[in-house]
């Protein structure tokens, strides 16, 4: 081969090598991006994010391979949500997924009428204006509604069965949470049916949680109902520790709280809900419209009892409840 031909081939090779990163970057730029807006913090919701990724994979999307995810965490500071979602809108993400608070879903809905939104909420999405109907949401939003308040009566009944000697029930709520008021009203109505007085305390910080438990102790509260606010999910270790300190049998809204040492949980699976919004996000990336995807609701509910905690509290768990339990932690 002549030196002239060798030089020509070498230049061609160099051109190919130089072009490779450009082609790779172009392919990466074409990868759809999901904006993930959450009201809480990543450390407390790592399991939920893993479930979301599982849902995405079921729809054929793997992060880093054919989809990118931009995370925005409000760290419990809901006033940051509008700015966080505005940043996602400016980035022109392909879809916005919200979790960790109903406030995140409302912030996304207020920020855009064109970018598809997949929400997870404990509220009624019809009542708060996220959708126009459950079956045909209309607009640019759909998702999963776990309707936490509809489970309040059952949770209170189970608490009464576990602690039949309780003369007064305490109720801890976050006054700033969108679902706390309706859930509290349902729980109080259920308590009245059982002939139980309810004493309500509110908390929006660690200090206020401590003060609430001190107040429950002073008033000789015999059992406690913690509402299903995301703030209390992030503070589950503090709640479980205070309940143990004051020997207060407590009903929680997530299985993670019972795994941390809480007495019992009754409700829908948070993991299932995050998997569902992941799958919906994937279906939207494939071209389906939120307006045509019905709002999903849980069809399976779990009862999880921590028997070790029950024994520490001196409770004799009825055999009927043990038989009904989906899981007993010993």
């Amino acid at each position: 081969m002549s030196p002239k031909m060798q030089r020509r081939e070498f230049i061609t090779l160099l051109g190919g090598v130089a072009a490779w990163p450009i082609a790779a970057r172009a392919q990466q730029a074409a990868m759809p991006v999901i904006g993930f807006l959450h009201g809480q913090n990543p450390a407390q919701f790592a399991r939920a994010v893993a479930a979301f990724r599982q849902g995405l994979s079921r729809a054929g999307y793997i992060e880093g391979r054919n989809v990118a995810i931009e995370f925005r965490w409000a760290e419990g500071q809901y006033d940051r949500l509008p700015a966080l979602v505005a940043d996602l809108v400016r980035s022109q993400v392909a879809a916005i997924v919200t979790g960790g608070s109903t406030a995140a879903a409302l912030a996304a809905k207020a920020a855009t009428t064109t970018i598809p939104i997949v929400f997870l909420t404990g509220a009624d999405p019809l009542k708060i204006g996220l959708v126009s109907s459950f079956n045909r949401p209309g607009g640019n939003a759909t998702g999963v509604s776990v309707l936490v308040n509809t489970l309040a009566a059952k949770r209170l009944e189970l608490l009464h069965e576990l602690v039949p000697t309780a003369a007064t029930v305490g109720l801890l709520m976050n006054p700033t949470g969108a679902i706390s008021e309706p859930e509290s009203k349902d729980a109080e109505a259920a308590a009245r049916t059982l002939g139980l007085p309810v004493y309500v305390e509110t908390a929006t910080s660690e200090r206020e949680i401590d003060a609430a438990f001190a107040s429950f102790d002073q008033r000789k509260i015999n059992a406690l109902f913690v509402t299903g606010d995301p703030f209390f999910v992030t503070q589950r270790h503090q709640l479980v520790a205070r309940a143990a300190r004051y020997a207060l049998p407590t009903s929680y809204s997530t299985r993670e709280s019972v795994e941390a040492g809480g007495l019992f949980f009754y409700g829908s699976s948070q993991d299932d809900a995050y998997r569902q919004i992941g799958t919906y996000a994937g279906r939207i990336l494939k071209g389906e419209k939120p307006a045509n995807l019905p709002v999903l609701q849980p069809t399976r509910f779990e009862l999880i009892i921590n028997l070790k905690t029950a024994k520490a509290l001196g409770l004799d768990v009825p055999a009927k409840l043990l038989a009904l339990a989906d899981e007993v932690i010993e």
Side-chain angles (χ1 to χ4, degrees):
M1 183 181 295
S2 69
K4 187 174 182 180
M5 286 295 294
Q6 288 179 338
R7 181 172 180 275
R8 185 179 303 151
E9 289 180 2
F10 179 68
I11 292 172
T12 301
L13 178 62
L14 280 180
V17 171
W20 179 83
I22 297 172
R25 286 197 298 270
Q27 184 179 7
Q28 187 175 26
M31 186 184 295
V33 179
I34 294 173
F36 189 98
L37 178 69
H38 204 281
Q40 303 304 321
N41 64 72
Q44 297 288 356
F45 281 84
R47 177 170 168 166
V49 171
F52 169 72
R53 288 189 173 110
Q54 288 172 3
L56 262 181
S57 69
R58 289 178 181 178
Y61 288 93
I62 306 295
E63 185 182 10
R65 184 182 301 173
N66 58 355
V67 69
I69 306 174
E70 287 286 335
F71 290 93
R72 299 291 184 274
W73 300 89
E75 306 278 352
Q77 300 174 46
Y78 293 169
D79 59 338
R80 294 179 57 204
L81 288 167
L84 292 174
V85 73
D87 183 43
L88 292 174
V89 172
R90 281 193 299 271
S91 299
Q92 298 182 335
V93 294
I96 297 173
V97 172
T98 73
S101 73
T102 297
L106 292 172
K109 182 71 172 175
T112 178
T113 58
T114 55
I115 297 175
I117 297 167
V118 182
F119 58 76
L120 172 58
T121 179
D124 184 333
L126 187 59
K127 288 184 178 179
I128 62 176
L130 287 175
V131 297
S132 56
S133 81
F134 274 77
N135 290 332
R136 295 188 66 82
N140 64 319
T142 188
V144 177
S145 172
V146 294
L147 289 175
V148 169
N149 62 300
T150 62
L151 304 174
K154 183 63 177 178
R155 283 180 58 201
L156 197 85
E157 289 171 13
L158 290 168
L159 182 61
H160 182 58
E161 287 189 56
L162 278 167
V163 197
T165 58
T168 306
V169 173
L171 189 147
L172 183 63
M173 64 175 287
N174 176 1
T176 66
I179 63 175
S180 292
E181 186 176 348
E183 186 182 8
S184 299
K185 286 181 178 178
D186 284 2
E188 290 181 70
R192 284 194 297 271
T193 302
L194 296 169
L196 291 172
V198 176
Y199 176 70
V200 179
E201 282 284 354
T202 62
T204 59
S205 66
E206 292 184 17
R207 183 177 58 82
E208 289 178 354
I209 288 175
D210 285 342
F213 272 90
S215 179
F216 290 140
D217 186 56
Q218 290 172 1
R219 292 179 176 268
K220 309 298 181 187
I221 299 302
N222 308 110
L224 177 62
F225 180 104
V226 177
T227 59
D229 189 87
F231 169 66
F232 294 139
V233 179
T234 65
Q235 298 302 126
R236 58 186 177 273
H237 295 288
Q238 181 190 10
L239 291 168
V240 168
R242 296 301 175 271
R245 175 182 174 183
Y246 292 105
L248 190 55
T250 303
S251 166
Y252 298 91
S253 65
T254 64
R255 71 173 294 137
E256 288 83 1
S257 298
V258 180
E259 290 170 350
L263 178 58
F264 85 94
F265 152 71
Y266 177 77
S268 58
S269 166
Q270 177 177 259
D271 290 353
D272 285 350
Y274 274 90
R275 275 190 285 268
Q276 287 173 325
I277 61 173
T279 300
Y280 257 16
R283 289 175 64 177
I284 286 170
L285 291 182
K286 288 181 176 179
E288 294 190 62
K289 303 298 183 186
N292 301 325
L293 292 173
V295 175
L296 300 175
Q297 293 179 268
T299 56
R300 185 173 66 89
F301 300 94
E302 301 175 318
L303 171 61
I304 302 173
I305 300 172
N306 191 316
L307 198 57
K308 181 180 178 181
T309 299
K311 289 177 179 177
L313 292 168
L315 297 177
D316 186 14
V317 180
K320 182 183 75 172
L321 287 186
L322 289 175
L324 288 173
D326 297 274
E327 185 178 342
V328 177
I329 298 174
E330 300 186 67

